Amino acid sequence: MIGMGAKLRERDAPAGDLRLANLTKRFGIFTAVDDLSLTIPQGSFFALLGSSGCGKTTTLRMIAGLEEPTSGQVLLGARDVTRLRPYKRPVNTVFQSYALFPHLDVHQNVAFGLRRRGKRSTDDDVMGMLELVQLRDYARHYPAQLSGGQQQRVALVRALVNHPQVLLLDEPLGALDLKLRRQMQIELKRIQTEVGITFVHVTHDQEEAMTMADTVAVMNAGRIEQLGAPAELYEFPATAFVANFLGQSNLLAAEAAGPAGSDVPVTAHGARFSVPADRARSDRGAVYLGVRPEKLHLVGSAAQVPSGHQHVEGVVTDASYVGVSTQYLVRTGWGSEISAFTANSGTGGQHPVGTPVVAHWDPRHAFLLPREPGQDDRTTPLLDEPVGAPS
Amino acid sequence: MTRVWRWLADRWVMGVALLVLGYLSLPIMVVAGLSFNRPSSRLSYDFDEFTLDNWRNPCATSDMCDAVVRSVQIGFIATVVATVVGTLMAFALVRHRFRGRSGINLLIFLPMATPELVMGTSLLALFVSAGVPQGFWTVVIAHVMFCVSFVVVTVKARLAGMDRRLEEAAMDLYASEWQTFRLVTLPLVLPGIVAAALLAFSLSFDDFIITNFNAGTTVTFPMYVWGAAQRGIPPQVNVIGTAMFVIALLLVGVSSLRGRRARRARIMSAVRPNGPS
């Protein structure tokens, strides 16, 4: 009994930050997670964003203790939990497929963790938690009788009821339809603010990561490409991968020759541009000049370009009207296509396909990224509604 | 006329099903009927006179009841051993990767594929050359051997269909390895294990060929019936047969009734969200 008390006290003690130090996981010759180091502050909502196979789920499983790292450490506050079994860690997981116990009803599912820790009366805690997600009336239902959204909420409170120091969410909204997903995003964010537990959320959905998390880490091939607040990542990406994974970017192959004053002059396809020095991730040699499509404005002639703005000329090759905005593809003089989104907020006219246009932008919206020599312009094809579409 | 055809078209599948059902249950009906018969002579298979004597006094021939008890004993021991060993093997084969795993998977099917005659004789040869006297325990060993395969196959199927993440979730929710097994793995695999045990018992109870080779002087129920058939089967054999059938029917009935009641309870509570809590 004394041991149990000490254990509970330890759990309830202030958690401290979650730290990953040089974490590496290899499966045979495949390196899933490659020398990953990061600190997740206590109480924050942290998102690991990446496409499938980038190592984000493996990272999560190592924090949960379901996977043993090849090398490196997982630290909770000052405590090294790297080699602890999953049931010895003050960490709970919401699984991608929910993994609700099919032979137990909702109440028993939620009480599972409390019972294992020797808590005798679980009813108040469980019913309180079910109240939080409006499932009080479903306590005696079995998982198979619940809808996807209800199962998801049970999986969430089954983890939350234990008051873990860290809650891990493995693509918990992946199986829900779009409308329900949006609803759950808001609900999750609300619950996180309410309980103040550190949330680590793994997802491949950039919009989900950006709307929910305080800090987003973009992962690629087992490494973190960039880490920061959503707006920071979007407005000033660190690599071409981030620039195109998080929303869309027009990346023009350019050459830079070092800063001149507070600006970095660059040459791209024979034309000269410049970017403020504090917007340059690289200021010498092969660079990408990047501008987000919604930061490009289209006008009919060069005379209409506001002073201080920079521009390229081209011809409209495609125009898609999507309600809040119109998305244009413009073929430049050197043959590449760039995309531009214009808000349908004013009375400004449309630019029909085939008309010559001038695309201009404020240099403070542009950014410079390092580029491998030999790589050409990159504009990601339009796949779906971009993040932060003008509205 | 077309109405007649339509009537037939709507019902012919049902008709065929009834015929097949009749075909399957006719022998059992005959056995059940004969259990109430007072045959005029030992070799008579005609229904001569209705009586309840056979049911009142099923152990009229004492060696028959000894044989039944022995068969139940052998069946029970063989089932317990085969179920435990087979379940452990199924876990090993599904959950672990080891050298020779695929070979074992293949070997498991061997006792099912080998003709019983071959198995019976080779086991006998083995016992004789090893100097093991044949009797009760050699029969148990033989039964465990062929029952294990069926248990492994049945439990393996259930286990392979189980989501590993459920166990991960249990461990994540503070359940140790043993608690995870007891509270999550076992309850989910149990229906498979129970099915395997029932299968093992029925296989053991009515095995004749392998048993006959390895029984020595021990007489099981199938061997007794075989021997009695030469001299005229006592009507009490039909009582045992009918009783076994009724017990099996009750087991199946109870399990399906329980399943249906659980389903109905779930549906009821689903219909009324404010249902029992």
Side-chain angles (χ1 to χ4, degrees):
Chain A
M1 248 6 252
I2 292 164
M4 179 66 72
K7 207 173 159 192
L8 283 176
R9 260 201 305 285
E10 191 182 66
R11 258 182 236 288
D12 294 339
D17 303 343
L18 170 65
R19 280 201 299 135
L20 309 181
N22 308 101
L23 206 60
T24 300
K25 178 68 185 181
R26 288 192 200 92
F27 296 103
I29 54 160
F30 174 69
T31 305
V33 176
D34 191 3
D35 196 32
L36 189 89
S37 293
L38 63 89
T39 300
I40 299 171
Q42 184 187 350
S44 65
F45 199 133
F46 189 92
L48 273 174
L49 176 65
S51 44
S52 66
C54 74
K56 57 191 193 303
T57 296
T58 308
T59 306
L60 199 78
R61 289 172 62 83
M62 285 192 283
I63 301 172
L66 298 170
E67 211 82 68
E68 199 163 314
T70 310
S71 63
Q73 282 179 302
V74 179
L75 298 141
L76 259 176
R79 189 157 156 239
D80 184 350
V81 298
T82 317
R83 307 283 155 193
L84 279 187
R85 304 290 295 141
Y87 48 85
K88 295 260 167 95
R89 299 186 186 205
V91 171
N92 290 115
T93 310
V94 180
F95 290 82
Q96 186 169 13
S97 51
Y98 315 141
L100 298 178
F101 305 123
H103 59 299
L104 303 179
D105 66 24
V106 168
H107 191 288
Q108 290 167 323
N109 261 284
V110 177
F112 193 93
L114 295 174
R115 289 216 177 280
R116 298 290 77 70
R117 284 163 54 190
K119 195 158 173 144
R120 283 222 195 83
S121 61
T122 55
D123 203 54
D124 291 347
D125 289 325
V126 171
M127 290 319 272
M129 271 293 163
L130 289 177
E131 186 85 67
L132 183 71
V133 291
Q134 289 137 37
L135 284 175
R136 232 188 128 83
D137 296 336
Y138 292 84
R140 291 298 161 210
H141 286 216
Y142 285 84
Q145 299 169 267
L146 303 180
S147 70
Q150 290 171 331
Q151 290 184 24
Q152 200 279 332
R153 271 138 63 193
V154 174
L156 178 69
V157 294
R158 184 179 68 172
L160 268 182
V161 74
N162 303 296
H163 296 288
Q165 288 178 19
V166 179
L167 185 79
L168 306 174
L169 302 117
D170 185 6
E171 305 235 13
L173 309 179
L176 305 180
D177 62 53
L178 193 68
K179 199 177 159 205
L180 201 53
R181 200 151 71 216
R182 296 276 177 277
Q183 212 175 311
M184 285 307 302
Q185 284 171 5
I186 296 164
E187 201 158 330
L188 264 181
K189 182 72 198 164
R190 176 180 64 82
I191 290 170
Q192 197 267 338
T193 320
E194 233 162 77
V195 297
I197 291 170
T198 310
F199 275 35
V200 181
H201 183 121
V202 155
T203 180
H204 66 271
D205 182 337
Q206 38 146 332
E207 178 158 355
E208 191 172 300
M210 291 179 82
T211 47
M212 295 165 78
D214 312 321
T215 311
V216 176
V218 179
M219 273 189 91
N220 182 31
R223 291 172 165 278
I224 288 181
E225 290 265 337
Q226 192 180 357
L227 185 152
E232 191 183 317
L233 258 64
Y234 187 80
E235 298 298 338
F236 190 22
T239 64
F241 178 85
V242 175
N244 274 328
F245 191 79
L246 224 62
Q248 274 186 279
S249 296
N250 294 301
L251 299 178
L252 304 183
E255 300 292 332
S262 64
D263 287 341
V264 180
V266 297
T267 319
H269 304 283
R272 296 178 157 278
F273 304 99
S274 77
V275 175
D278 61 358
R279 299 278 300 165
R281 298 279 184 192
S282 169
D283 57 14
R284 213 171 285 275
V287 291
Y288 272 127
L289 169 63
V291 188
R292 294 283 187 187
E294 75 278 8
K295 305 276 165 53
L296 280 182
H297 310 283
L298 298 185
V299 289
S301 69
Q304 292 168 268
V305 174
S307 68
H309 278 213
Q310 301 180 336
H311 68 273
V312 295
E313 289 172 17
V315 177
V316 175
T317 55
D318 188 61
S320 332
Y321 180 82
V322 292
V324 294
S325 69
T326 305
Q327 309 186 347
Y328 293 99
L329 274 184
V330 176
R331 187 181 299 280
T332 56
W334 59 90
S336 302
E337 279 183 329
I338 57 176
S339 66
F341 305 157
T342 60
N344 291 330
S345 52
T347 49
Q350 303 281 315
H351 302 275
V353 172
T355 50
V357 288
V358 175
H360 66 88
W361 68 90
D362 185 332
R364 286 170 300 178
H365 285 152
F367 47 84
L368 288 186
L369 303 177
R371 170 176 70 100
E372 295 287 320
Q375 281 184 320
D376 201 8
D377 296 356
R378 280 170 68 177
T379 302
T380 38
L382 202 58
L383 292 176
D384 55 2
E385 181 82 355
V387 173
S391 53
Chain B
M1 200 56 198
T2 48
R3 283 182 60 179
V4 173
W5 276 117
R6 184 168 300 162
W7 191 89
L8 276 177
D10 285 350
R11 283 161 184 81
W12 72 273
V13 176
M14 194 57 160
V16 171
L18 283 174
L19 277 177
V20 172
L21 206 64
Y23 172 67
L24 288 177
S25 52
L26 198 63
I28 300 165
M29 293 303 148
V30 170
V31 168
L34 286 177
S35 71
F36 296 101
N37 185 26
R38 193 201 304 275
S40 52
S41 80
R42 283 183 67 93
L43 286 168
S44 165
Y45 287 97
D46 297 326
F47 198 91
D48 297 316
E49 192 188 344
F50 180 84
T51 176
L52 287 174
D53 285 355
N54 305 328
W55 281 91
R56 256 187 232 119
N57 195 6
C59 282
T61 50
S62 65
D63 43 350
M64 185 191 77
C65 275
D66 290 347
V68 171
V69 169
R70 205 165 292 119
S71 268
V72 170
Q73 284 172 341
I74 290 170
F76 183 76
I77 298 170
T79 298
V80 169
V81 176
T83 304
V84 170
V85 173
T87 301
L88 292 177
M89 272 183 84
F91 267 91
L93 288 170
V94 173
R95 290 298 168 80
H96 298 282
R97 301 278 170 272
F98 51 88
R99 192 183 278 271
R101 181 168 154 273
S102 51
I104 291 175
N105 265 324
L106 211 68
L107 278 175
I108 286 299
F109 280 98
L110 215 58
M112 289 193 243
T114 313
E116 286 200 49
L117 217 55
V118 177
M119 273 221 306
T121 47
S122 48
L123 260 175
L124 176 64
L126 179 72
F127 286 136
V128 169
S129 64
V132 181
Q134 290 98 61
F136 185 88
W137 290 105
T138 48
V139 174
V140 169
I141 290 168
H143 284 200
V144 167
M145 194 195 69
F146 67 75
C147 286
V148 159
S149 303
F150 289 91
V151 174
V152 172
V153 171
T154 313
V155 176
K156 238 178 78 179
R158 180 84 193 177
L159 205 53
M162 203 190 122
D163 189 354
R164 282 305 296 272
R165 272 169 298 202
L166 293 174
E167 287 164 271
E168 287 183 349
M171 298 249 272
D172 189 67
L173 292 165
Y174 313 107
S176 63
E177 282 88 351
W178 168 241
Q179 287 174 324
T180 300
F181 177 78
R182 189 166 56 85
L183 297 166
V184 175
T185 317
L186 194 60
L188 291 174
V189 181
L190 200 61
I193 297 176
V194 170
L198 288 175
L199 186 66
F201 184 83
S202 73
L203 284 171
S204 163
F205 190 82
D206 77 5
D207 182 76
F208 174 73
I209 300 174
I210 297 176
T211 313
N212 199 33
F213 278 106
N214 297 288
T217 55
T218 307
V219 177
T220 63
F221 183 61
M223 289 169 72
Y224 173 84
V225 175
W226 169 255
Q230 324 285 319
R231 299 169 265 123
I233 297 176
Q236 283 86 352
V237 166
N238 297 322
V239 173
I240 302 296
T242 311
M244 292 300 294
F245 174 71
V246 169
I247 290 169
L249 208 64
L250 280 178
L251 280 176
V252 173
V254 164
S255 78
S256 89
L257 205 69
R258 278 189 55 181
R260 193 182 304 171
R261 192 175 301 160
R263 254 199 312 281
R264 191 179 304 153
R266 287 176 201 180
I267 289 165
M268 287 301 282
S269 56
V271 171
R272 293 179 295 128
N274 300 317
S277 58

